[in-house]
Amino acid sequence: MLRELLQAVIPTTCACCGEVLVAGERQVCISCLSALAATGYSPMDNNLIERRLIGRVPYVAASSLYHFRKGDTTRRLIHAMKYHDGTELCYMMGRQLGLDLAASGRFDDVEILIPVPLHWLRWLERGYNQSEIISQGISDVMHRPVVTNVLVRHRYTRKQSLRGSAERGINVEGAFRVRKPSLIEGKHVLLVDDVLTTGATIAACADALEGVDGLKISVATLAAAD
Ligand SMILES: [Zn+2]
């Protein structure tokens, strides 16, 4: 009720286009939601994401929900998730990703969700890890626990968006470490991130996880650059 009252006084606007939201709309307006271009990758073996990661990440299955292109709605959405206290938006989009993964049937064996971690300095700056909140949204749909104390980011890296793609791999290589590997031994984990570009970040996470006994890895991101 308080939300409705507030909305009447200060109208909330769409995180993507800035238009005033109408009744029934949350965070993003219907027209922006329908403008998000879904990839359809989740049920597909050997989809573009899997081909991008092949030989670098020993995945069971990998997928991204939306295309991420220059100037499009998805790009504005991802920006809003990171820079405008986008926690509710992250959670909502995480649920969308969870519904997509669950419907595909290819991620049914996943037991644990592991968000790509932020360095603690970046966490302090933003106040939350967008990938962790996306994971909580997935968890709400798929009922798998989110584990954040095993994979850690021990090196502070410059913002990926400011760097060329050739540099990204070097930038993030060796940035992650595993603590308490016994918590995930023999498990099938889903690595979760907001955007996949070259796949360097996911590959660096997989490198760090390599020594964990009997671990199986799948990958899901909300969006992927074409
Ligand atoms: Zn909109």
Side-chain angles (χ1 to χ4, degrees):
M1 199 175 124
L2 183 64
R3 179 184 292 275
E4 280 166 23
L5 198 69
L6 275 174
Q7 194 154 351
V9 187
I10 316 160
T12 48
T13 53
C14 171
C16 289
C17 69
E19 290 288 320
V20 173
L21 295 176
V22 300
E25 290 178 343
R26 293 288 295 275
Q27 297 288 322
V28 182
C29 74
I30 296 291
S31 114
C32 284
L33 270 184
S34 57
L36 297 171
T39 62
Y41 291 154
S42 290
M44 291 165 50
D45 273 323
N46 199 31
N47 63 50
L48 182 83
I49 306 306
E50 296 188 349
R51 291 201 299 278
R52 198 171 291 173
L53 296 176
I54 204 159
R56 301 154 74 203
V57 177
Y59 59 79
V60 176
S63 185
S64 295
L65 179 54
Y66 298 118
H67 290 288
F68 183 78
R69 297 172 178 135
K70 204 169 182 176
D72 77 354
T73 308
T74 310
R75 212 174 174 95
R76 287 196 292 277
L77 180 85
I78 298 287
H79 190 270
M81 287 167 63
K82 285 187 188 179
Y83 300 106
H84 302 288
D85 185 23
T87 51
E88 193 183 347
L89 184 60
C90 289
Y91 190 82
M92 199 180 99
M93 299 320 292
R95 287 195 83 254
Q96 293 301 315
L97 177 55
L99 290 169
D100 176 69
L101 298 174
S104 78
R106 290 202 311 141
F107 296 82
D108 293 352
D109 297 337
V110 163
E111 297 169 281
I112 288 172
L113 311 177
I114 298 188
V116 169
L118 281 185
H119 189 272
W120 64 271
L121 271 174
R122 181 87 67 221
W123 192 93
L124 278 183
E125 184 190 344
R126 190 172 295 154
Y128 60 95
N129 174 3
Q130 73 280 6
S131 301
E132 185 178 336
I133 316 282
I134 292 170
S135 301
Q136 288 165 0
I138 298 173
S139 177
D140 186 46
V141 175
M142 296 182 77
H143 310 293
R144 307 294 196 277
V146 181
V147 172
T148 57
N149 59 348
V150 173
L151 185 65
V152 294
R153 195 170 198 135
H154 68 95
R155 214 179 63 215
Y156 189 81
T157 47
R158 284 167 59 198
K159 285 188 175 131
Q160 296 272 319
S161 53
L162 301 179
R163 305 173 75 92
S165 63
E167 274 184 279
R168 287 180 182 180
I170 304 159
N171 185 35
V172 81
E173 213 179 279
F176 302 95
R177 238 178 234 160
V178 170
R179 284 189 194 142
K180 306 178 194 165
S182 60
L183 291 180
I184 57 168
E185 273 173 8
K187 300 286 188 191
H188 184 176
V189 302
L190 182 71
L191 280 176
V192 178
D193 207 357
D194 53 354
V195 184
L196 186 135
T197 50
T198 61
T201 303
I202 293 293
C205 290
D207 283 350
L209 292 164
E210 202 182 0
V212 180
D213 280 345
L215 189 77
K216 287 194 275 184
I217 298 174
S218 285
V219 176
T221 69
L222 187 64
D226 290 346

